[in-house]
Structure formats: C-alpha cells, structure tokens
C-alpha cells in the first residue's frame, strides 16, 4: 500500500418534561456538552491522540481524521433517556462542526433499538448530512434482534452479503468485523470460522509495518465475560494481528470508555449517544442506567480519530466538555 491509496472496500418538537423538572430544551442544552472525543495521530504507524477539538496546521497537512459513533439506539424511549433521537442529533451537530471535516465515519453498532421501524433510515440519512466522505457500519445485537440480520445485511452487507469488510485509506488498513450474528449462551460475541478465515486471508498481504484499525461491536477482549462483554473467538482473530507494529481495536456495546494495551494492540471501547450502562460487575447486570440530566453530558459522546505521520506513541486522552 502507498499513502495515496483510498477506499478499497471488500464487502459496502414540543417541550416535554422528563419528570425531573428538566424540559426537552433544557435537556438538550445539557447534551450540547456531551461530546467526549479523541483525535488520533500517528508516527511511523504508531497511533497517539489528543483531546477532541480543532486540528493543528500540521495535522491538517499530514493526516486525516475519522469519527467513531456507537450505540445510537434510535427507537429507545426508556427512563435512562426519553429523547435518544435528540442526543443523537446533538452528536451529529458536533460532527458537522468539526474542522476539517472527518474523512469518514465508523458506526460500531446498535444503530437501532431492537430494529424499531424506520430507525435505520433515520440514522443513515442523518449521517449522510455530515461532511464525511463515507460512513461504514457494523451491527450490534439490537440491529439483528428481530430477523437474525436480514434487514441489516440487505442494507449494509455489501456484494458478498456477509457484512464484514476491509478497506485501505492513506496507508492505514481498516477491518470491520461482525460478532453479533451468532450470540453464544450468555450473550457472548462470536465471529465464526468463516469470518476468521476471511480475516486471516485479508491481512496476509499486508506488511508488518502497516497500521491496522479494527472495529466491531462487542469487545474483542474480555471486559467482563459474566455479562457477555467478550467475544468468545476474539483471541483467534487477534492472533492474526500480533505481527503488526500498530493495531488499534475500537468497540461499542458497553456504553463506557475503557482502555487496555496488550503488546502491540490497544483496545478502546466507546460511549453511547443514547444512555450509559453500569461499570463491569456493578449491579445485577448490564442495561440502561438513569442518571440526573445534568450528569448525562459526562456519560454520552463520540470519538474523533486523527492520523498524522511523524508524531508520538500511543497516549490516549479522553475528555468531556462538562
């Protein structure tokens, strides 16, 4: 690959009180502070980061940025967030305000909430309205809830109809994996042998110096297996990536920021734009958590990623605008 390579994809109201004395307008003003984000940079293929904000002149000249958005759960109307569409719209506004505009957007799943009617259209049309060149999608379990993935794959499965995908962009290799189509007992993520075989073949052609970014919904590392926050065959997938000097894995699903570095592989889970979930092991199990409206800005958000040649090693910094 050379640095001029571009995408080569293998597989394409009225004010209402929320019950706490905060009306919809006031709630969304709180949410205007919600964006937690990262801008990623790179030196010799090693990614590093800075807080979300305007790019420096050097970054604009040498690199590119992309945005990760996750767990939008359009159609959700629970107590944890009675206006998930409104908070999603706030995230869209943040993406539109980025300067320079991101090269593309990656959505790491749970686009919808249990495949509510019209939710896929709502999200895709909103993301088309950003200035990003393209949007890449990976499903969450909520996106395959009703029909085993037929609607999702019909929309986003690509020519092969599988949904997993890879593309090259300016010297970086991106891989999108699907680990929600065959949930194991206990809700574990699973890739399956066919996808593992595809992944192994996909990376065989790459040199070990190629920066690799993987995105999926359920974490590939064992965040908390008791709650299903792990992919049962994720270790096999990661074994194919150990020879690369820089591998970054981006996930959704758990609605909170957690980070881990294991050898050459760094793992990053993302916030939701809809609602938070409990910390691993806190409470009876995973699910929407209701927090005071004034605190929501610190538990919802998105991530911006920036790639630049000639900077420092991985140093992840998450921040809120609270």
């Amino acid at each position: 690959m050379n640095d001029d390579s571009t995408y080569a994809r293998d597989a394409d109201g009225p004010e209402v009180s929320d019950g706490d004395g905060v009306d919809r307008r006031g709630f969304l003003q709180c949410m205007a502070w919600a964006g937690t984000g990262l801008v990623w940079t790179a030196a010799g293929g090693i990614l590093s980061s800075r807080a979300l904000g305007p790019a420096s002149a050097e970054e604009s000249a040498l690199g590119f940025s992309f945005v990760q958005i996750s767990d939008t759960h359009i159609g959700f109307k629970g107590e944890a967030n009675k206006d998930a569409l409104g908070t999603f719209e706030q995230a869209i506004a943040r993406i539109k305000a980025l300067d320079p505009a991101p090269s593309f957007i990656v959505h790491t799943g749970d686009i919808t909430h249990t495949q509510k009617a019209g939710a896929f259209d709502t999200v895709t049309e909103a993301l088309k309205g950003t200035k990003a060149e393209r949007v890449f999608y990976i499903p969450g379990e909520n996106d395959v809830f009703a029909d085993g993935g037929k609607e999702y794959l019909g929309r986003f499965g690509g020519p092969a109809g599988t949904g997993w995908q890879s593309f090259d962009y300016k010297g970086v290799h991106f891989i999108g994996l699907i680990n929600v189509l065959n949930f194991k007992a206990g809700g574990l993520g699973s890739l399956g042998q066919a996808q593992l075989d595809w992944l192994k073949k996909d990376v065989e052609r790459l040199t070990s110096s190629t920066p690799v970014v993987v995105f999926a919904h359920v974490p590939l590392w064992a965040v908390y297996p008791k709650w299903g926050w792990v992919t049962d065959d994720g270790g096999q997938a990661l074994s194919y990536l150990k020879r690369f000097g820089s591998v970054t894995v981006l996930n959704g699903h758990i609605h909170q920021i957690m980070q881990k570095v294991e050898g050459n592989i760094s793992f990053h889970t993302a916030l939701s734009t809809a609602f938070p979930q409990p910390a691993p092991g806190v409470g009876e199990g995973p699910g929407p958590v209701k927090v005071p409206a004034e605190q929501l800005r610190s538990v919802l958000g998105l991530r911006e990623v920036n790639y630049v040649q000639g900077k420092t090693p991985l140093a992840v910094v998450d921040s809120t605008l609270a």
Side-chain angles (χ1 to χ4, degrees):
M1 280 187 307
N2 58 58
D3 288 346
D4 293 326
S5 60
T6 53
Y7 305 103
R9 192 174 183 184
D10 292 340
D12 204 57
E15 296 181 2
V16 179
S17 172
D18 69 0
D20 292 324
V22 179
D23 61 25
R24 184 179 188 273
R25 179 180 299 168
F27 175 71
L28 293 181
Q29 286 173 343
C30 289
M31 292 315 307
W33 303 330
T36 296
L38 287 176
V39 180
W40 295 48
T41 61
I46 300 176
L47 296 178
S48 62
S49 65
R50 61 173 171 80
L52 180 66
S56 68
E58 179 185 10
E59 289 171 337
S60 297
L62 296 179
F64 67 91
S65 68
F66 69 93
V67 166
Q68 178 192 7
I69 191 169
S70 196
D71 296 273
T72 47
H73 284 272
I74 299 304
F76 178 81
K77 297 184 182 298
E79 290 296 319
N81 186 349
K82 295 182 179 179
D83 193 11
L85 178 59
T87 52
F88 170 64
E89 290 170 345
Q90 291 291 327
I92 294 296
R94 287 193 169 277
I95 297 172
K96 289 181 177 180
L98 291 173
D99 184 19
S103 295
F104 54 89
I105 297 170
V106 170
H107 195 308
T108 48
D110 279 354
I111 304 162
T112 72
H113 192 72
T114 64
Q115 289 183 258
K116 290 292 193 301
F120 280 123
D121 290 332
T122 297
V123 174
T124 55
E125 289 304 310
L127 290 176
K128 285 178 184 177
T130 67
K131 294 178 286 186
E133 297 170 11
R134 293 190 66 170
V135 182
F136 298 93
Y137 294 92
I138 285 294
E141 72 279 3
N142 276 272
D143 304 318
V144 300
F145 177 83
D147 61 4
K150 291 181 180 179
E151 181 181 8
Y152 174 86
L153 292 175
R155 290 171 175 265
F156 309 111
T162 60
W164 54 75
Q165 59 194 284
S166 69
F167 62 92
D168 301 322
Y169 192 80
K170 295 186 177 180
V172 182
H173 189 65
F174 292 83
I175 302 169
L177 299 177
I178 296 180
N179 52 10
V180 297
L181 290 178
N182 298 296
F183 258 36
K184 299 295 185 180
L188 304 184
S190 178
L191 296 166
Q193 193 58 50
Q195 189 170 191
L196 289 169
D197 292 344
W198 170 85
L199 173 63
K200 182 179 181 180
K201 183 176 181 181
D202 180 70
V203 300
E204 282 179 347
R205 64 182 176 86
L206 304 175
T207 64
S208 297
S209 61
T210 304
V212 176
V213 177
V214 179
F215 55 98
H217 183 64
V218 179
L220 298 182
W221 57 290
V223 175
Y224 198 65
K226 184 178 180 180
W227 286 359
W229 290 358
V230 63
T231 299
D232 68 343
D233 49 4
Q236 184 65 43
L238 295 173
S239 72
Y240 302 144
L241 306 175
K242 289 182 177 179
R243 69 180 178 88
F244 295 97
S246 173
V247 180
T248 304
V249 182
L250 306 177
N251 298 109
H253 190 53
I254 71 171
H255 297 212
Q256 58 199 282
I257 291 173
M258 297 188 69
Q259 300 157 4
K260 177 184 178 182
V261 177
E262 186 175 295
N264 63 326
I265 303 177
S266 61
F267 302 87
H268 305 270
T269 63
L271 293 172
S272 166
T273 68
F275 54 83
Q277 291 203 90
V282 176
E284 297 181 358
V289 173
K290 183 179 180 180
V291 300
E294 67 272 12
Q295 294 180 15
L296 274 170
R297 61 185 182 271
S298 66
V299 293
L300 304 181
L302 51 83
R303 169 176 289 139
E304 186 186 3
V305 183
N306 216 41
Y307 178 91
V308 177
Q309 298 177 0
K311 294 294 283 186
T312 54
L314 184 68
V316 176
V317 179
D318 284 282
S319 64
T320 71
L321 300 182

